[in-house]
Amino acid sequence: MQILADISSKLQAGKAKEVQELVQQALDQQVPVRDILEQGLLDGMGIIGAKFKNDEVFVPEVLIAARAMNRGMEVLKPYFAESGVEARGRVCIGTVQGDLHDIGKNLVKMMMEGKGFEVIDLGTDVPAEAFVKAAAEHGCAIVCLSALLTTTMPAMRQVVEAFEAAGTRDQVKIMVGGAPVTDEFCAQIGADAYAADAASAADKALALLGG
Ligand code: B1M
């Protein structure tokens, strides 16, 4: 569909305002939200990712594409909410220390909110102790950790250890995700669940709370 191809190419060019407008136009044309996300926004980000890997584009271009992606996601946000869902409890979410990637985390946050969770977003580059403090302060039953770099995956283990050291490990379920993270890694570090994508993260969070 042309409008989805346009969203993808404007995102790759980092045209945040145009991405925002095209996403709204696609919604007005009744294009399914999932198609706008997957065939428009995520398609564009995937192409940028491949070019980044091949040294065809560099950090500044990726950064402005990411900004355009986040703007487009903001327009979609209300459409992720399921109507009539009950309040499910609180989730603390953040990208672990040393890691600045936030698009996947933001998507997980939106899907969680769509399922009725109240989400406390701690942002990026979050130290282990900050997760422990926030979970206690806000009464989060679930803590979601995102990591996009192989070099920051060990920081996930540090979060698990920080909860153990604080004596509050049994009060929270710790979920992990992000492109390099696997089920096996989740088990190795003693986290409770791994989710490959944002939608399954929300479903697993519900399952963890017995919902
Ligand atoms: Co970076 N980067 N980056 N980057 N970047 C990657 C991750 C990389 C794979 C690119 C590559 O080389 N091919 C590579 C990592 C290699 C590795 O470690 N294996 C890389 C690198 C090397 C770097 C730098 C080191 C580059 C440099 O400076 N030389 C640097 C590190 C900075 C830092 O963090 N300290 C860096 C910087 C950046 C930007 C700042 C420019 C920008 C981030 C901007 C931002 O996020 N606001 C950026 C981007 C955008 C990317 C790519 C292109 C796209 C990532 C993305 O947003 N994908 C990425 C290449 C790629 O992935 N193809 C790349 C879309 C997003 C929706 O997917 O985040 O995977 P993702 O989220 C998914 C799932 O993983 C899951 O749900 C989402 C989908 O539904 N999920 C969770 C994510 N978190 C979850 C948490 C959960 C559950 C599921 O909790 C329960």
Side-chain angles (χ1 to χ4, degrees):
M1 198 183 281
Q2 188 55 46
I3 194 158
L4 298 179
D6 290 346
I7 290 171
S8 171
S9 66
K10 292 294 178 192
L11 185 145
Q12 292 167 51
K15 305 277 185 202
K17 191 161 177 285
E18 285 160 76
V19 168
Q20 225 175 352
E21 286 165 2
L22 282 167
V23 169
Q24 188 56 57
Q25 276 175 35
L27 286 169
D28 295 344
Q29 293 172 19
Q30 318 287 330
V31 179
V33 175
R34 180 174 284 270
D35 292 355
I36 301 173
L37 178 66
E38 289 176 0
Q39 295 170 39
L41 298 172
L42 288 174
D43 180 81
M45 208 60 227
I47 293 171
I48 277 289
K51 288 186 172 170
F52 187 38
K53 194 175 179 183
N54 297 331
D55 288 337
E56 291 170 51
V57 298
F58 300 96
V59 170
E61 288 99 321
V62 181
L63 206 49
I64 56 166
R67 202 170 301 148
M69 168 94 196
N70 274 326
R71 288 272 205 92
M73 282 186 347
E74 279 301 312
V75 183
L76 289 184
K77 189 174 173 176
Y79 296 84
F80 289 128
E82 288 175 10
S83 55
V85 290
E86 301 158 33
R88 312 272 195 189
R90 288 201 186 123
V91 172
C92 284
I93 191 167
T95 306
V96 295
Q97 189 156 36
D99 201 320
L100 302 175
H101 297 84
D102 69 355
I103 297 174
K105 167 191 69 73
N106 294 344
L107 208 46
V108 173
K109 177 183 174 188
M110 283 183 199
M111 295 286 180
M112 293 270 183
E113 287 174 342
K115 291 276 181 195
F117 288 104
E118 187 186 337
V119 182
I120 314 294
D121 186 355
L122 306 178
T124 60
D125 191 16
V126 183
E129 292 70 26
F131 284 103
V132 177
K133 190 164 173 264
E137 248 172 52
H138 299 282
C140 292
I142 294 186
V143 175
C144 286
L145 312 177
S146 180
L148 264 288
L149 299 171
T150 45
T151 50
T152 56
M153 285 167 67
M156 291 180 148
R157 186 193 294 274
Q158 287 165 14
V159 177
V160 176
E161 287 169 356
F163 274 98
E164 281 164 1
T168 54
R169 178 66 185 91
D170 56 346
Q171 292 169 26
V172 292
K173 298 287 184 196
I174 300 179
M175 295 180 63
V176 292
V181 181
T182 60
D183 232 337
E184 201 184 9
F185 178 74
C186 169
Q188 267 172 29
I189 65 169
D192 297 296
Y194 158 73
D197 56 55
S200 61
D203 289 339
K204 285 197 176 180
L206 275 181
L208 280 174
L209 296 188

PDB file of all heavy atoms in Angstrom, residues 37-50:
ATOM      1  N   LEU A  37       1.960   0.056  11.910  1.00  0.00           N
ATOM      2  CA  LEU A  37       3.136  -0.182  12.749  1.00  0.00           C
ATOM      3  C   LEU A  37       4.162  -1.056  12.019  1.00  0.00           C
ATOM      4  O   LEU A  37       5.329  -0.689  11.902  1.00  0.00           O
ATOM      5  CB  LEU A  37       2.702  -0.840  14.071  1.00  0.00           C
ATOM      6  CG  LEU A  37       3.834  -1.187  15.030  1.00  0.00           C
ATOM      7  CD1 LEU A  37       4.522   0.069  15.548  1.00  0.00           C
ATOM      8  CD2 LEU A  37       3.324  -1.995  16.229  1.00  0.00           C
ATOM      9  N   GLU A  38       3.679  -2.201  11.524  1.00  0.00           N
ATOM     10  CA  GLU A  38       4.637  -3.186  11.000  1.00  0.00           C
ATOM     11  C   GLU A  38       5.132  -2.857   9.593  1.00  0.00           C
ATOM     12  O   GLU A  38       6.326  -2.908   9.330  1.00  0.00           O
ATOM     13  CB  GLU A  38       4.021  -4.586  11.049  1.00  0.00           C
ATOM     14  CG  GLU A  38       3.932  -5.066  12.494  1.00  0.00           C
ATOM     15  CD  GLU A  38       3.238  -6.402  12.657  1.00  0.00           C
ATOM     16  OE1 GLU A  38       2.799  -6.988  11.662  1.00  0.00           O
ATOM     17  OE2 GLU A  38       3.126  -6.843  13.827  1.00  0.00           O
ATOM     18  N   GLN A  39       4.199  -2.496   8.702  1.00  0.00           N
ATOM     19  CA  GLN A  39       4.612  -2.280   7.298  1.00  0.00           C
ATOM     20  C   GLN A  39       5.054  -0.841   7.032  1.00  0.00           C
ATOM     21  O   GLN A  39       5.640  -0.545   6.009  1.00  0.00           O
ATOM     22  CB  GLN A  39       3.463  -2.646   6.360  1.00  0.00           C
ATOM     23  CG  GLN A  39       3.123  -4.124   6.408  1.00  0.00           C
ATOM     24  CD  GLN A  39       1.836  -4.442   5.656  1.00  0.00           C
ATOM     25  OE1 GLN A  39       1.558  -3.887   4.608  1.00  0.00           O
ATOM     26  NE2 GLN A  39       1.028  -5.324   6.219  1.00  0.00           N
ATOM     27  N   GLY A  40       4.736   0.066   7.962  1.00  0.00           N
ATOM     28  CA  GLY A  40       5.172   1.449   7.823  1.00  0.00           C
ATOM     29  C   GLY A  40       6.360   1.737   8.719  1.00  0.00           C
ATOM     30  O   GLY A  40       7.512   1.738   8.285  1.00  0.00           O
ATOM     31  N   LEU A  41       6.080   1.912  10.013  1.00  0.00           N
ATOM     32  CA  LEU A  41       7.124   2.363  10.945  1.00  0.00           C
ATOM     33  C   LEU A  41       8.251   1.340  11.120  1.00  0.00           C
ATOM     34  O   LEU A  41       9.430   1.666  10.950  1.00  0.00           O
ATOM     35  CB  LEU A  41       6.486   2.681  12.305  1.00  0.00           C
ATOM     36  CG  LEU A  41       5.441   3.810  12.308  1.00  0.00           C
ATOM     37  CD1 LEU A  41       4.753   3.900  13.662  1.00  0.00           C
ATOM     38  CD2 LEU A  41       6.089   5.148  11.956  1.00  0.00           C
ATOM     39  N   LEU A  42       7.885   0.095  11.460  1.00  0.00           N
ATOM     40  CA  LEU A  42       8.940  -0.894  11.735  1.00  0.00           C
ATOM     41  C   LEU A  42       9.702  -1.265  10.466  1.00  0.00           C
ATOM     42  O   LEU A  42      10.909  -1.537  10.511  1.00  0.00           O
ATOM     43  CB  LEU A  42       8.349  -2.141  12.399  1.00  0.00           C
ATOM     44  CG  LEU A  42       7.910  -1.943  13.863  1.00  0.00           C
ATOM     45  CD1 LEU A  42       7.208  -3.185  14.395  1.00  0.00           C
ATOM     46  CD2 LEU A  42       9.099  -1.596  14.753  1.00  0.00           C
ATOM     47  N   ASP A  43       9.009  -1.219   9.325  1.00  0.00           N
ATOM     48  CA  ASP A  43       9.694  -1.483   8.054  1.00  0.00           C
ATOM     49  C   ASP A  43      10.791  -0.435   7.835  1.00  0.00           C
ATOM     50  O   ASP A  43      11.943  -0.775   7.533  1.00  0.00           O
ATOM     51  CB  ASP A  43       8.669  -1.425   6.906  1.00  0.00           C
ATOM     52  CG  ASP A  43       9.318  -1.694   5.562  1.00  0.00           C
ATOM     53  OD1 ASP A  43       9.523  -2.874   5.249  1.00  0.00           O
ATOM     54  OD2 ASP A  43       9.639  -0.723   4.845  1.00  0.00           O
ATOM     55  N   GLY A  44      10.446   0.828   8.043  1.00  0.00           N
ATOM     56  CA  GLY A  44      11.418   1.910   7.853  1.00  0.00           C
ATOM     57  C   GLY A  44      12.601   1.778   8.803  1.00  0.00           C
ATOM     58  O   GLY A  44      13.765   1.906   8.408  1.00  0.00           O
ATOM     59  N   MET A  45      12.288   1.457  10.051  1.00  0.00           N
ATOM     60  CA  MET A  45      13.353   1.330  11.056  1.00  0.00           C
ATOM     61  C   MET A  45      14.244   0.134  10.734  1.00  0.00           C
ATOM     62  O   MET A  45      15.460   0.170  10.923  1.00  0.00           O
ATOM     63  CB  MET A  45      12.693   1.153  12.433  1.00  0.00           C
ATOM     64  CG  MET A  45      13.502   1.652  13.586  1.00  0.00           C
ATOM     65  SD  MET A  45      13.853   3.403  13.469  1.00  0.00           S
ATOM     66  CE  MET A  45      15.580   3.391  13.819  1.00  0.00           C
ATOM     67  N   GLY A  46      13.627  -0.938  10.221  1.00  0.00           N
ATOM     68  CA  GLY A  46      14.397  -2.130   9.854  1.00  0.00           C
ATOM     69  C   GLY A  46      15.378  -1.816   8.732  1.00  0.00           C
ATOM     70  O   GLY A  46      16.535  -2.266   8.749  1.00  0.00           O
ATOM     71  N   ILE A  47      14.926  -1.028   7.752  1.00  0.00           N
ATOM     72  CA  ILE A  47      15.804  -0.682   6.618  1.00  0.00           C
ATOM     73  C   ILE A  47      16.965   0.195   7.109  1.00  0.00           C
ATOM     74  O   ILE A  47      18.121  -0.016   6.758  1.00  0.00           O
ATOM     75  CB  ILE A  47      14.991   0.012   5.492  1.00  0.00           C
ATOM     76  CG1 ILE A  47      14.002  -1.001   4.897  1.00  0.00           C
ATOM     77  CG2 ILE A  47      15.918   0.567   4.405  1.00  0.00           C
ATOM     78  CD1 ILE A  47      12.981  -0.421   3.940  1.00  0.00           C
ATOM     79  N   ILE A  48      16.636   1.147   7.988  1.00  0.00           N
ATOM     80  CA  ILE A  48      17.692   1.999   8.560  1.00  0.00           C
ATOM     81  C   ILE A  48      18.695   1.132   9.332  1.00  0.00           C
ATOM     82  O   ILE A  48      19.906   1.315   9.245  1.00  0.00           O
ATOM     83  CB  ILE A  48      17.067   3.080   9.483  1.00  0.00           C
ATOM     84  CG1 ILE A  48      16.579   4.259   8.648  1.00  0.00           C
ATOM     85  CG2 ILE A  48      18.030   3.572  10.546  1.00  0.00           C
ATOM     86  CD1 ILE A  48      17.691   5.119   8.050  1.00  0.00           C
ATOM     87  N   GLY A  49      18.168   0.153  10.069  1.00  0.00           N
ATOM     88  CA  GLY A  49      19.036  -0.735  10.853  1.00  0.00           C
ATOM     89  C   GLY A  49      20.003  -1.494   9.956  1.00  0.00           C
ATOM     90  O   GLY A  49      21.195  -1.608  10.252  1.00  0.00           O
ATOM     91  N   ALA A  50      19.481  -1.997   8.830  1.00  0.00           N
ATOM     92  CA  ALA A  50      20.336  -2.754   7.903  1.00  0.00           C
ATOM     93  C   ALA A  50      21.402  -1.833   7.297  1.00  0.00           C
ATOM     94  O   ALA A  50      22.570  -2.217   7.172  1.00  0.00           O
ATOM     95  CB  ALA A  50      19.477  -3.374   6.804  1.00  0.00           C
TER      96      ALA A  50
END
